[in-house]
Amino acid sequence: MGMNEQDLHSTRAPATWVVAQDRVDYEDAVAAMHARVAAIYDGTASECVWLLEHPPLFTAGVSAKPNDLRAPDMFPVYKSERGGEYTYHGPGQRVAYLMLDLRTRGRDLRAFVRDVEQWVIDTLAAFNVKGERREGRVGVWVDRTRPGGPLREDKIAAIGIRVRRWVSFHGVSINVEPELDHFGGIVPCGISDQGLGVTSLVDLGLPITMDDFDMAMLDAYHKIFGPTVPTSAHRP
């Protein structure tokens, strides 16, 4: 049986901050998240933030439409229990999986997603990139419309959250330096409108190292979600 909510408020430890040094297979990542989520719920493990990169692959969230998979043989395709539609993961993209206990954070999924969006926005601001929300479109966007020109808004971060017994998992993927051509195998996150695309920090002219980006993520995380403790482990 899990701990009661009062106990959780009084005993919550700083979240463990884990950074994988090697690429992590998607199925291995999901299995590790499931195990950690169960332990968090039972009170036998602290919350966890896991930063990693995947090998090239596509995932289909619970709202994915079959026709949005344009090139099914391009990369492995995995069904995912996260929210959202199709997305791409691959080298040069920072994936951050959030295993946080929402029993101690208000039990408000909508507010939690907004906090995750704000985390990404604040991280991008450290590099003078203005990330923005868009009504009806989950994720973080960059307005690239030129004065007098047609609309152009590019997605720089995708968000797909799953909650089990009020413990979150899955999370966000932020394009630092992935191969943007790889997104052509899908309609990413259902984006098919003219003027909407995908971008990255390098595409915006910012050749930022993953280590520098991780430091900005850590600083922004502390301001929104609270303290962390580093670990030498590469997995939860």
Side-chain angles (χ1 to χ4, degrees):
M1 178 179 294
M3 300 173 69
N4 65 47
E5 192 163 338
Q6 183 175 358
D7 289 341
L8 286 161
H9 274 291
S10 62
T11 62
R12 186 175 73 205
T16 304
W17 189 266
V18 181
V19 182
Q21 298 303 307
D22 299 317
R23 296 174 192 170
V24 180
D25 289 337
Y26 186 75
E27 291 176 321
D28 290 346
V30 172
M33 282 192 286
H34 282 178
R36 185 66 175 235
V37 164
I40 293 168
Y41 179 80
D42 289 338
T44 57
S46 64
E47 297 178 314
C48 182
V49 182
W50 188 16
L51 305 187
L52 55 84
E53 292 175 84
H54 285 304
L57 58 91
F58 298 131
T59 67
V62 296
S63 302
K65 303 175 182 66
N67 289 343
D68 285 348
L69 182 59
R70 291 170 168 166
D73 298 325
M74 188 174 182
F75 299 123
V77 181
Y78 297 94
K79 288 186 177 180
S80 175
E81 60 212 324
R82 62 163 175 79
E85 303 182 52
Y86 279 102
T87 195
Y88 164 77
H89 294 312
Q93 182 187 71
R94 176 48 89 212
V95 174
Y97 287 137
L98 289 162
M99 290 153 274
L100 302 183
D101 194 339
L102 303 191
R103 291 173 295 176
T104 70
R105 297 177 179 273
R107 294 177 184 254
D108 187 333
L109 183 56
R110 187 181 297 249
F112 177 63
V113 171
R114 286 191 66 83
D115 283 345
V116 174
E117 289 173 337
Q118 193 62 50
W119 178 34
V120 176
I121 289 168
D122 291 351
T123 300
L124 294 172
F127 304 103
N128 297 314
V129 173
K130 186 179 181 183
E132 298 177 324
R133 298 179 178 90
R134 287 293 180 265
E135 188 68 30
R137 290 191 251 136
V138 176
V140 177
W141 299 77
V142 177
D143 187 348
R144 306 184 75 182
T145 305
R146 295 183 180 274
L151 171 73
R152 183 182 175 189
E153 293 182 342
D154 289 349
K155 193 169 194 175
I156 195 166
I159 296 175
I161 302 291
R162 177 78 176 183
V163 172
R164 178 171 294 159
R165 297 188 295 185
W166 288 109
V167 181
S168 71
F169 56 117
H170 293 280
V172 304
S173 57
I174 307 160
N175 298 329
V176 178
E177 192 180 3
E179 291 289 343
L180 294 181
D181 289 349
H182 290 175
F183 284 90
I186 56 172
V187 178
C189 304
I191 301 167
S192 57
D193 295 343
Q194 188 173 3
L196 302 181
V198 180
T199 191
S200 68
L201 289 173
V202 165
D203 185 49
L204 295 171
L206 297 166
I208 293 160
T209 68
M210 197 66 80
D211 286 344
D212 286 344
F213 191 76
D214 289 350
M215 290 301 297
M217 290 192 81
L218 180 62
D219 183 60
Y221 178 94
H222 287 161
K223 295 173 183 176
I224 294 173
F225 294 110
T228 61
V229 59
T231 177
S232 58
H234 297 163
R235 300 195 175 213

